[in-house]
Amino acid sequence: MEILAFGVQTDEKPLIEKAFAGLHDIRCLDVFLTEDTAPIAAGHEVVSTSVNANLNAQVLQSLAAGGTRMIAQRSTGFNNIDLDVAARLGLTIARVSYYSPYSVAEFAWTLAMAVNRRIVRASNRTRDFDFRLDGLLGRDMRGRTVGVLGTGKIGEAFTRIAHGFGMNLLGWDAAQNPACVELGMKYVDKEELLANADVISLHVPLLPSTQHLIGRRELAAMKDDAILVNSSRGGLIDTDALVGELRKGRFAGVGLDVYEAEAGLFFLDKSLEAVQDDTLARLVTFPNVVVTSHQAYYTQDAVGQIIAATVDNVAAYAAGRHTENVLVPAAP
């Protein structure tokens, strides 16, 4: 059968085509799955989507009407999918439940160190042959305190790097990770973590219970010179509240690889268009903020694992097997 893959990046396309070679035909599109593009999938039993696909009720109904029976999402998160509607339509929905946690953890620390050591500002200066050090003063990580919100696989990998720096470790999660405890992590409530951490990194999924996990009250509780990093999901932070705190001159740095209104923006070239998102436009003007476009997962290792899992998910669907990656099984 021919599989239609939406939202395929240029670097990703040859890897996907190679992985499916000899198994199924695959057609790769650089457009993302939305209400407008869903009709393109007509006649394709299997559709593969990217993390920023919009799989709401209307999109799912359009896919089902066109003959789609299985959706293989190339990501771990699935907050963009209406699973109840998918179940009613008899669609099989599968995701990638695991890929390299080091890709995201290492990138989170890249953001933290970039804002701490003012790397972007320094690089821009030297391009203009301005070699002054004014305004580039950073801090050692050793001996300082890191707060990790969410200590699953990625949070654990992030914690191991922090341990290597020689930092004090604070954690917050519904359940303690024994590996983090062994590294010396102390689990505390969220309020204590926010009040005491010099670096705060988010590694929790976006659920109704975690929407705006970091809101006005949480931001106010943080140290004025804290560093905040989010490489998980944009909706974890109330961005308007964050902009308000930044306008007051707070925080040593903020590193964001995700943004709560990134759909329709991230992964696309908007450089020749007028900026319509006033919040994002204001956010990127702060000198202590670095924003990247959801690339933390984007390494050869992680992307390779994501594609391999997607191939396995399609094979399992074709064989009528259920795996741990299946979120919604097909109707009997």
Side-chain angles (χ1 to χ4, degrees):
M1 59 183 168
E2 183 181 67
I3 301 165
L4 187 63
F6 284 92
V8 177
Q9 303 297 312
T10 301
D11 297 329
E12 188 183 13
K13 182 178 179 181
L15 301 177
I16 291 179
E17 292 176 338
K18 181 179 179 181
F20 276 97
L23 300 173
H24 300 285
D25 294 330
I26 188 159
R27 179 184 170 201
C28 296
L29 303 178
D30 59 1
V31 299
F32 295 95
L33 180 59
T34 65
E35 294 172 3
D36 293 330
T37 61
I40 301 174
H44 292 85
E45 182 180 352
V46 175
V47 167
S48 179
T49 61
S50 62
V51 64
N52 270 351
N54 181 6
L55 290 162
N56 60 21
Q58 183 174 335
V59 170
L60 292 172
Q61 289 165 1
S62 178
L63 292 175
T68 296
R69 295 294 174 262
M70 191 265 183
I71 299 170
Q73 176 143 296
R74 303 187 307 279
S75 74
T76 297
F78 51 90
N79 55 284
N80 60 319
I81 307 173
D82 192 326
L83 298 179
D84 292 335
V85 171
R88 288 200 301 270
L89 293 170
L91 295 170
T92 296
I93 308 291
R95 62 160 178 164
V96 177
S97 59
Y98 175 86
Y99 61 84
S100 169
Y102 309 106
S103 61
V104 179
E106 290 171 5
F107 194 84
W109 270 114
T110 300
L111 287 174
M113 296 307 295
V115 295
N116 176 42
R117 302 306 299 268
R118 316 293 195 263
I119 297 299
V120 175
R121 184 186 301 178
S123 177
N124 290 337
R125 280 187 186 177
T126 56
R127 286 178 180 272
D128 293 329
F129 293 92
D130 179 352
F131 302 106
R132 294 172 300 157
L133 298 182
D134 297 349
L136 303 182
L137 190 67
R139 295 178 292 178
D140 288 2
M141 289 292 105
R142 182 174 179 81
R144 287 189 160 80
T145 299
V146 64
V148 187
L149 293 164
T151 56
K153 293 182 177 66
I154 297 174
E156 178 187 331
F158 182 89
T159 300
R160 290 188 182 279
I161 297 171
H163 181 261
F165 278 134
M167 302 185 75
N168 303 312
L169 310 174
L170 296 179
W172 175 86
D173 208 326
Q176 296 187 10
N177 183 334
C180 292
V181 173
E182 187 176 345
L183 291 170
M185 174 171 279
K186 177 184 177 183
Y187 279 85
V188 296
D189 60 35
K190 185 172 62 174
E191 290 71 22
E192 182 176 346
L193 184 151
L194 295 173
N196 289 283
D198 299 296
V199 178
I200 297 168
S201 192
L202 310 182
H203 300 288
V204 299
L206 181 60
L207 304 168
S209 60
T210 60
Q211 178 75 27
H212 288 179
L213 180 70
I214 303 298
R216 296 185 186 280
R217 185 178 67 177
E218 289 77 17
L219 291 165
M222 292 167 53
K223 293 182 177 181
D224 287 342
D225 61 352
I227 292 173
L228 175 63
V229 176
N230 187 10
S231 57
S232 186
R233 288 293 184 268
L236 298 175
I237 295 178
D238 182 340
T239 315
D240 288 329
L242 175 60
V243 169
E245 294 301 306
L246 288 166
R247 287 171 63 92
K248 298 175 186 176
R250 299 191 65 221
F251 307 135
V254 174
L256 304 174
D257 185 52
V258 288
Y259 172 60
E260 60 180 325
E262 69 182 54
L265 290 173
F266 282 19
F267 306 143
L268 300 172
D269 182 2
K270 297 289 185 177
S271 61
L272 299 179
E273 301 178 22
V275 177
Q276 302 298 320
D277 189 321
D278 292 339
T279 301
L280 180 60
R282 185 69 182 93
L283 187 64
V284 298
T285 65
F286 292 105
N288 57 334
V289 174
V290 171
V291 179
T292 52
S293 55
H294 208 138
Q295 70 178 86
Y297 78 98
Y298 206 52
T299 66
Q300 293 179 359
D301 310 82
V303 171
Q305 291 168 348
I306 289 169
I307 293 171
T310 302
V311 172
D312 290 343
N313 287 342
V314 173
Y317 163 77
R321 292 185 287 106
H322 288 175
T323 70
E324 63 178 357
N325 288 338
V326 175
L327 297 169
V328 179

